[in-house]
Amino acid sequence: MIFTRWSAKFPGTQRRGAARSDRAAPRPASGTPSGPPETAPEAATAPAAVDGTPSAPTAATTTGSVPAARAEHEDTAASQEATRAALPPTVDALSVHEILGTIPALVAVVYGPEHRLAYVNGAYATVFGARPAGRTAREALPELDALGLLPLMDQVLRSGKPRTVKSRKVAGGDRTRDGYYTFTCTPIEVAASGPAPDPEVACVAPHKGVLVFGADVTDQIESAERLRASEASQREAAVTLQRSLLPQELEQPDDLRVAATYQPGGTDAAVGGDWYDVITLGAGRTALVIGDVMGRGVRAAAVMGQLRTAVRAYARLDLPPHEVLQLLDGLAAEIDASQIATCVYAVHDPNEGRLVYASAGHLPILVRDPDGSVRRAAEPTGPPLGTGGWLHTSGSVPLGPGSSAVLYTDGLVERRDKDIDDGVEALERAFAGAAGDPDIVCDRLLRSLGITATHDDDVAILVLQHPERTGHDAELFHNAALELHGGTEAAPRARAFASGVLASWRFSPELHDLGVLAASELVANSLQHGHPPMRLRLRRTDRRLIIEVTDGDDHLPRRRRAEPVDEAGRGISIVATIASAWGSRRTPGGGKAVWCEFALPRG
């Protein structure tokens, strides 16, 4: 870029001007070697007069030769005009002022190590006002200093490479609102053939300079802001929906300590469909659930809410874990065929000291034994919910006193740059050293796995502990069982056993009598409608008394209204009336269990 008397022209402008000068110069005479011969029309002359004077041209000659020359000139001009029309357009004849002065972008040209101002275009002057040429940028262009561009211009001048800064906020001009510009600083060479704007500087040699080009990106920035605001609003709605669908307060079983945490992904991540739940099933048994809908946003949260509600409904049926997942699989396909979900459904039975579970494509449960060793719950694992065509199966893992377990979603262990097995191994190490109550363990696992507020995925964790009880706590938890053999004589033997156990547990006379009555009715019902093996089990916790009878028949009893003349059919109704809750379920390997429980007075 060449500045002549501080007026820039594009390369090639001088050559084009020289070409125009050559065309304007006189043409050499015909026959000279300096140029091609020129042809001209012949002049028509009249014959000489007798006295030797030339005669005047005739009228025919005068009127015939001039129109012929004009016509030939017009033909030549038309031919040249057609030739020019056929040539491609060129901007070589335009000056830099003509080009930069008409574009809407901000343009400023500076030169020298102090960035002395050589030129600003009209758009720049409209936004920032007129600027005096020849002064340094720090004096003449304070707005560039405020935008932090002067150090960038120094880098461009030293390195000879262009630099760009994006979306700088600019106030001023005729705008009613602030504008945003992306500035590009490009190295150029500035030369002058006359006096410089600064009389103390004689610019006769080329100077290195910088062209500052500011493109208006206000509309793009505002569109992006509106988009971010809309996404933030949608994300806030999804987070609110997600949290409202999760348990507001976890149920606390008698025999387990549980805690859970949910952390949505960072502000740049849409909310997923992670969820967890704890469901008390009765008779001391507890269902624990964790799942993840494979999607994001409000839709994933809505599907999660429907699945969580369905899990609670199916759990009330007290079905084995694999049957619950089988029902969920069909329901997930009906809710939304395009959505799939992973899920683990587990049931803890303190009488058995085991965790029975089934998994639909979810990550393995981790169990920590009393000695601190951590192991993964083995298969079976089926495909995710919503895929259909699979028969899920249940597995089990020991979870006795002193043991702990953690259920989690993939956001805790999955990283983009690592294999997910590496994340599970890291979780195993963190879980092995995470001591304390379940809520403390949740926090320590989040910190150990590097989960922060900017994490790019949702995380759900459910921690359960089966504590060892000693001293006074151990006195509040007791178990007693009696195998029922024989026929009708088993009933009085069961009543005597129940009476003795309840008396040893120092219950009030009222609760003692109600417990004996409930045990008698459940045993009588089993003797009449079931078959061996039969067992009566009594269990007390710090909150309730549980009475349970099992037998080998898988027909579940139901409560019905007995007519006045009926001699049977009132046993379950009596139990349902006197007990706080009652229920029945099928047991693994065939058979059933019928139970009832009485809430103990506080204190």
Side-chain angles (χ1 to χ4, degrees), residues 463-550:
V463 174
L464 59 141
Q465 297 176 346
H466 189 183
E468 288 183 308
R469 293 181 171 87
T470 58
H472 176 69
D473 288 343
E475 295 297 324
L476 301 178
F477 290 81
H478 291 287
N479 285 281
L482 173 68
E483 298 293 336
L484 301 175
H485 300 288
T488 57
E489 67 275 8
R493 194 165 56 248
R495 285 193 294 270
F497 173 79
S499 178
V501 170
L502 296 180
S504 67
W505 290 348
R506 300 179 181 178
F507 286 134
S508 65
E510 179 182 1
L511 184 57
H512 174 276
D513 294 342
L514 291 176
V516 172
L517 175 59
S520 176
E521 293 294 337
L522 292 181
V523 169
N525 184 77
S526 180
L527 290 173
Q528 181 175 358
H529 301 287
H531 58 74
M534 300 179 185
R535 173 186 289 182
L536 169 64
R537 177 181 290 155
L538 304 177
R539 175 175 173 77
R540 73 152 294 170
T541 70
D542 59 343
R543 304 179 195 175
R544 70 198 80 233
L545 166 65
I546 302 167
I547 301 172
E548 183 179 70
V549 175
T550 60

Side-chain angles (χ1 to χ4, degrees), residues 580-602:
S580 302
W582 79 280
S584 62
R585 71 180 187 278
R586 291 187 173 88
T587 55
K592 66 176 180 295
V594 185
W595 56 269
C596 69
E597 60 184 36
F598 297 86
L600 300 183
R602 292 185 177 273

Side-chain angles (χ1 to χ4, degrees), residues 2 11 62 109 169 195 242 317 382 444 576 598:
I2 306 300
T62 304
V109 177
K169 186 176 181 180
Q242 176 88 346
L317 301 176
R444 289 180 175 176
F598 297 86

Side-chain angles (χ1 to χ4, degrees), residues 22-54:
D22 292 343
R23 287 196 298 270
R27 293 175 183 172
S30 175
T32 63
S34 60
E38 296 287 336
T39 58
E42 298 180 357
T45 58
V50 176
D51 57 1
T53 61

Side-chain angles (χ1 to χ4, degrees), residues 375-458:
R375 52 200 169 88
R376 304 182 190 183
E379 302 289 347
T381 297
L385 303 175
T387 56
W390 184 269
L391 292 177
H392 294 271
T393 56
S394 295
S396 66
V397 60
L399 191 72
S403 300
S404 302
V406 59
L407 291 73
Y408 52 96
T409 57
D410 58 0
L412 182 64
V413 297
E414 189 174 27
R415 301 294 182 270
R416 299 182 185 275
D417 57 343
K418 294 182 180 179
D419 189 83
I420 195 169
D421 283 337
D422 296 336
V424 176
E425 291 176 359
L427 178 60
E428 289 177 346
R429 293 190 295 270
F431 189 38
D437 292 335
D439 54 344
I440 297 177
V441 173
C442 287
D443 293 338
R444 289 180 175 176
L445 293 181
L446 289 176
R447 289 197 302 270
S448 299
L449 274 295
I451 306 301
T452 64
T454 60
H455 190 58
D456 61 357
D457 196 4
D458 292 34

